[in-house]
């Protein structure tokens, strides 16, 4: 046995001594194992089979009603020095955090089965991929990890192989505990490549390969090793000449990544030959290649997507892939036992997400953060290059958020440093993806506020450091699909029509179109955005492309105060860039 497998066995023994499970199961990722687990969960009521005619092999899971989203206030980064976690993270000293967590874990798996899940984030043969092992007492977590990661024997073999080369794996320990919100923590020990999560069974709190490993721990590793781990979708846009360019886009949770990643071109574009290829919908690992470009992989193998709002009209690719082999969490069901959520034009909910008889007075039928878990391969637009070991080259990086006012539909950074400032200055209205108030504007740099595993000041400096001689960095843009008019309605149709904005972005990358140079960056000339035939009020179009100097002076002032909150660690280059914009706004 390799020393790595010995280390893994020792850790499993140690965890078993602490948590005292009745049984230990090593997951191999086989179909037989998945079937057995499903049968067990159905028998226990953890999974409810849905209509087998319309939704073969689909199941509904109802979570505990106080465990429905990520819990940012209970998510901590435990570095020896508080300053290394930064003001952007909750922090606890490692020794104290371990003691606190181990007290929670003591004996917590009595009467339960402990599952050991070896997994690989990224294509199993890619040098960019990284492995981890999650130990959990939740079969629902196993079933989700099976879809979201490359899980089982192949990952274990890679862990063993890499051990010989001295490459460690990430250790994640998870228990649902009693699902008590008062006894819940998600702790990260980046220097130990360790995660401890207790008391939640939901999404990013519990599927430790996702936000905990592929973002918080990976971002920390990426800084040390010279790459980027980002909360970004990756999409390929093929033009009528058959050329495909890849775009990575960072939007905060529930702000449109899955939708943009699977976009279906508007009819005119489709007829002209435009195609959209999905590489990833949530996480992107980017590494500088020998050619100076950034090459990206999607570390995930599935989608854990927001259900509400997903429809034939908004995201037909998503809807089509949800017809079989899907786990639905916290959606409603119809009388004929089909899944249902707000935004579906047909069907009537009879049971809400909690399993109660549906009554409009009780709120939405599906929880606003209800989700589907589905294999990426089931997506009709899944890119044939999504599994390429070297990744795909990124031509443009797009930042965006929900801003009902001020922020234009699209603008372009002048250069990399300006692009990093645009990312660092991002703000967005909060959504149901995390517990807490919804609709409050907060700074969310690069959409990583809940996910950056170290001090944001250092993170901004890390981003700036990619601007090296010979680097062929992507162009940087900012978009806002969420501007509202005085009537409270969205000004921009969004969804498939977002391709009209991506087309302009790609023309700018090619250098084939001029732009309007403003204090905040380059904006499209209205005539260069293909919006004819959309029936938009021309007044609205100019509003979407307008730079409100007074509003931006206030915004740029707030950005200054925000950068100041990172003190010495905020790079001087970002301050200078901000001051340059503040000056330009005075003209
Ligand atoms: P996470 O999985 O939480 O990281 O979310 P996400 O960024 O993938 O968000 P998703 O694509 O699932 O969209 C979340 C919500 O935003 C859904 O209700 C969508 O219908 C809505 N949405 C997505 N794109 C657009 C758009 O272009 N315009 C408008 N108005 N709404 C959109
Ligand atoms: C997000 O909140 O950004 C998600 C869902 O993608 S979760 O996996 O719960 O983090
Ligand atoms: Mn996300």
């Amino acid at each position: 046995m390799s020393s790595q497998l010995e280390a893994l066995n020792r850790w499993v023994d140690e965890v078993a001594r602490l948590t005292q499970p009745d049984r230990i199961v090593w997951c191999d990722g086989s179909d037989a194992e998945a079937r057995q687990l499903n049968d067990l969960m159905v028998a226990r009521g953890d999974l409810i089979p849905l209509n087998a005619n319309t939704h073969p092999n689909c199941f509904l899971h109802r979570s505990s009603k106080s465990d429905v989203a990520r819990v940012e206030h209970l998510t901590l980064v435990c570095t020896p020095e508080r300053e290394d976690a930064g003001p952007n993270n909750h922090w606890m000293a490692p020794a104290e955090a371990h003691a606190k967590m181990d007290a929670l874990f003591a004996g917590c798996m009595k009467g339960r089965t402990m599952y050991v899940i070896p997994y690989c984030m990224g294509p199993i043969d890619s040098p960019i991929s990284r492995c981890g092992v999650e130990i959990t007492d939740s079969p629902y977590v196993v079933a989700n990890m099976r879809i979201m990661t490359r899980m089982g024997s192949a990952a274990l073999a890679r862990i063993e192989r890499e051990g010989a080369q001295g490459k460690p794996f990430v250790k994640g320990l998870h228990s649902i505990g009693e699902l008590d919100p008062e006894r819940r923590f998600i702790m990260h020990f980046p220097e130990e490549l360790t995660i401890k999560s207790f008391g939640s069974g939901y999404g990013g709190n519990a599927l430790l390969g996702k936000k905990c490993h592929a973002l918080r721990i990976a971002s920390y590793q990426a800084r040390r090793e010279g790459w980027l781990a980002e909360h970004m979708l990756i999409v390929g846009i093929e033009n009528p000449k058959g050329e495909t360019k890849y775009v990575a886009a960072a939007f905060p949770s529930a702000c449109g990544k899955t939708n943009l990643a699977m976009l279906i071109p508007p009819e005119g574009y489709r007829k002209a030959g435009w195609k959209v290829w999905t590489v990833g919908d949530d996480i992107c690992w980017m590494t500088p290649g020998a050619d100076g470009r950034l090459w990206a992989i999607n570390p995930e193998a599935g989608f854990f997507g927001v259900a509400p709002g997903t429809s034939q009209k908004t995201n037909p690719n998503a809807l089509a892939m949800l017809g079989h082999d899907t786990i639905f969490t916290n959606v409603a069901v119809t009388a004929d036992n089909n899944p249902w959520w707000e935004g579906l034009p047909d069907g009537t909910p009879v049971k809400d997400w909690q399993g109660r008889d549906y009554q409009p007075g009780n709120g939405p039928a599906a929880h606003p953060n209800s989700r589907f878990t589905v294999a990426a391969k089931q997506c009709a637009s899944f890119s044939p290059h999504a599994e390429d070991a070297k990744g795909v080259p990124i031509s443009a990086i797009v930042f965006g958020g929900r801003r009902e006012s001020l922020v234009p539909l699209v603008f372009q950074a002048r250069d990399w440093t300006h692009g990093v400032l645009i990312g660092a200055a991002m703000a967005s209205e909060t959504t149901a993806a995390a517990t807490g108030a919804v609709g409050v504007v907060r700074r969310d740099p690069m959409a990583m506020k809940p996910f950056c595993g170290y001090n944001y000041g250092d993170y901004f400096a890390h981003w700036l450091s990619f601007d090296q001689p010979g680097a062929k960095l992507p162009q940087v843009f900012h978009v806002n699909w969420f501007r509202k008019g005085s009537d409270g309605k969205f000004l921009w149709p969004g969804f498939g029509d977002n391709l009209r904005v991506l087309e302009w972005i790609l023309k700018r990358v090619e250098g084939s179109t001029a732009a309007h140079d403003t204090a905040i960056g380059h904006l499209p000339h209205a005539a260069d955005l293909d919006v004819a035939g959309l029936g938009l009020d021309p007044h609205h179009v100019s509003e979407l492309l307008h730079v409100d100097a007074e509003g931006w002076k206030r915004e740029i002032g707030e950005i200054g105060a925000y950068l100041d909150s990172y003190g010495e660690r905020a790079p001087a280059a970002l301050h200078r860039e901000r001051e340059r914009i503040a000056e330009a706004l005075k003209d």
Side-chain angles (χ1 to χ4, degrees):
M1 198 189 291
S2 78
S3 59
Q4 185 97 304
L5 285 196
E6 279 168 23
L8 172 55
N9 276 303
R10 265 199 311 278
W11 175 55
V12 170
D13 285 346
E14 222 174 86
V15 169
R17 267 198 307 277
L18 176 66
T19 60
Q20 297 173 28
D22 282 11
R23 269 172 311 278
I24 301 179
V25 171
W26 287 70
C27 299
D28 61 14
S30 66
D31 292 343
E33 174 183 271
R35 270 194 305 274
Q36 241 180 7
L37 211 64
N38 266 11
D39 291 347
L40 172 82
M41 284 189 280
V42 170
R44 288 178 14 167
D46 287 347
L47 286 186
I48 301 164
L50 291 165
N51 187 319
N53 295 318
T54 51
H55 286 83
N57 210 25
C58 288
F59 298 88
L60 166 66
H61 173 75
R62 291 192 183 116
S63 77
S64 160
K65 71 173 190 293
S66 54
D67 183 31
V68 294
R70 283 183 295 100
V71 281
E72 295 180 1
H73 60 295
L74 303 174
T75 300
L76 284 80
V77 170
C78 308
T79 45
E81 299 299 323
R82 181 183 213 128
E83 265 304 293
D84 290 333
N88 47 304
N89 280 303
H90 300 291
W91 175 87
M92 194 180 282
E96 188 189 347
H98 279 304
K100 192 173 188 84
M101 294 309 280
D102 292 353
L104 292 171
F105 279 112
C108 73
M109 296 191 192
K110 275 185 194 148
R112 298 181 186 173
T113 300
M114 179 173 115
Y115 299 93
V116 181
I117 314 170
Y119 64 86
C120 179
M121 299 310 292
I124 198 86
D125 59 351
S126 169
I128 304 171
S129 302
R130 299 290 168 115
C131 291
V133 177
E134 175 167 358
I135 297 180
T136 180
D137 55 10
S138 161
Y140 166 80
V141 165
V142 180
N144 277 270
M145 284 291 283
R146 184 170 192 274
I147 298 174
M148 296 304 296
T149 72
R150 283 85 171 168
M151 175 265 255
S153 310
L156 187 62
R158 180 168 167 150
I159 288 170
E160 179 170 14
R161 223 173 32 247
E162 289 191 335
Q165 304 157 8
K167 288 192 199 160
F169 61 93
V170 170
K171 295 190 185 103
L173 172 55
H174 169 255
S175 170
I176 56 171
E178 311 88 50
L179 296 173
D180 176 357
E182 301 299 324
R183 285 163 53 83
R184 178 177 296 165
F185 281 108
I186 298 98
M187 303 264 199
H188 302 74
F189 306 86
E191 300 194 346
E192 300 164 43
L193 302 185
T194 295
I195 304 153
K196 292 187 177 179
S197 166
F198 188 91
S200 166
Y202 208 89
N205 298 337
L207 313 178
L208 302 186
K210 197 173 175 58
K211 300 302 168 60
C212 299
H213 176 165
L215 289 178
R216 296 193 194 94
I217 300 283
S219 62
Y220 185 93
Q221 289 180 297
R223 176 176 173 232
R224 268 156 186 67
E225 299 167 6
W227 50 286
L228 289 164
E230 299 298 325
H231 190 206
M232 293 177 174
L233 67 93
I234 309 167
V235 67
I237 313 285
E238 183 178 334
N239 70 15
K241 287 184 267 179
E243 303 156 343
T244 304
K245 287 212 159 63
Y246 295 90
V247 175
F251 308 156
S253 303
C255 291
K257 288 184 300 302
T258 303
N259 278 270
L260 193 68
M262 296 171 196
L263 175 156
I264 292 202
E267 200 185 340
Y269 281 76
R270 222 159 45 231
K271 285 194 176 143
W274 289 83
K275 293 195 181 83
V276 170
W277 299 106
T278 309
V279 178
D281 84 326
D282 199 50
I283 302 181
C284 166
W285 286 357
M286 280 183 288
T287 312
D291 61 357
R293 293 192 287 178
L294 291 182
W295 289 76
I297 64 162
N298 168 14
E300 301 191 281
F303 307 121
F304 183 64
V306 178
T310 306
S311 71
Q312 185 57 32
K313 198 159 153 252
T314 58
N315 193 348
N317 270 328
L319 201 65
M321 74 183 172
L322 304 181
H324 65 99
D325 298 280
T326 303
I327 300 171
F328 294 90
T329 302
N330 288 348
V331 300
V333 285
T334 63
D336 43 8
N337 202 27
N338 281 313
W340 194 91
W341 50 80
E342 278 68 20
L344 283 177
D346 306 315
T348 312
V350 296
K351 295 275 182 209
D352 72 8
W353 65 275
Q354 297 182 49
R356 302 174 298 190
D357 290 340
Y358 173 62
Q359 280 171 0
N362 284 340
H367 188 277
N369 192 38
S370 55
R371 300 249 168 186
F372 51 77
T373 319
V374 64
K377 287 197 173 94
Q378 288 186 203
C379 181
S381 59
F382 192 52
S383 165
H385 296 291
E387 310 246 316
D388 285 4
K390 65 180 191 308
V392 296
I394 299 299
S395 296
I397 287 176
V398 180
F399 295 119
R402 281 180 192 262
R403 293 295 296 267
E404 63 173 43
S405 60
L406 186 67
V407 182
L409 178 64
V410 58
F411 59 100
Q412 179 187 11
R414 265 178 214 89
D415 56 20
W416 185 254
T417 303
H418 182 209
V420 173
L421 178 70
I422 289 174
M426 268 173 69
S428 190
E429 294 143 21
T430 51
T431 66
T435 55
V438 168
V440 181
V441 177
R442 71 158 176 187
R443 294 279 152 211
D444 190 351
M446 280 84 168
M448 284 285 278
K449 167 73 185 71
F451 310 121
C452 181
Y454 61 102
N455 189 311
Y456 252 150
D458 299 337
Y459 172 83
F460 302 148
H462 181 51
W463 265 81
L464 289 170
S465 75
F466 285 84
D467 197 359
Q468 298 285 338
K472 295 195 186 69
L473 294 170
Q475 295 284 316
V476 180
F477 298 82
H478 191 286
V479 300
N480 179 18
W481 315 140
F482 298 96
R483 273 293 283 279
K484 285 183 180 166
S486 46
D487 57 0
K489 291 196 179 132
F490 291 117
L491 291 178
W492 177 249
F495 303 104
D497 289 312
N498 293 334
L499 184 60
R500 300 172 193 277
V501 175
L502 289 176
E503 183 189 16
W504 182 80
I505 287 176
L506 293 179
K507 277 198 201 146
R508 290 295 297 169
V509 167
E510 279 173 10
S512 64
T513 192
H516 176 46
D517 192 12
T518 78
I520 65 163
H522 306 298
L523 269 79
H525 294 296
D528 289 337
L529 263 193
D530 181 7
V531 294
L534 273 183
L536 294 184
D537 181 338
H539 198 76
H540 287 169
V541 177
S542 49
E543 211 170 320
L544 283 166
L545 300 178
H546 175 65
V547 177
D548 164 11
E550 288 312 307
W552 275 101
K553 280 181 197 165
R554 271 195 303 279
E555 181 83 4
I556 214 79
E558 285 169 25
I559 291 166
Y562 181 70
L563 288 179
D564 284 341
S565 71
Y566 293 95
E568 299 272 281
R569 300 226 185 184
L574 284 194
H575 281 294
R576 281 197 299 274
E577 187 65 20
R578 193 204 69 83
E579 281 151 22
R580 193 187 56 69
I581 296 170
E583 277 306 307
L585 281 164
K586 287 184 187 157
D587 302 339

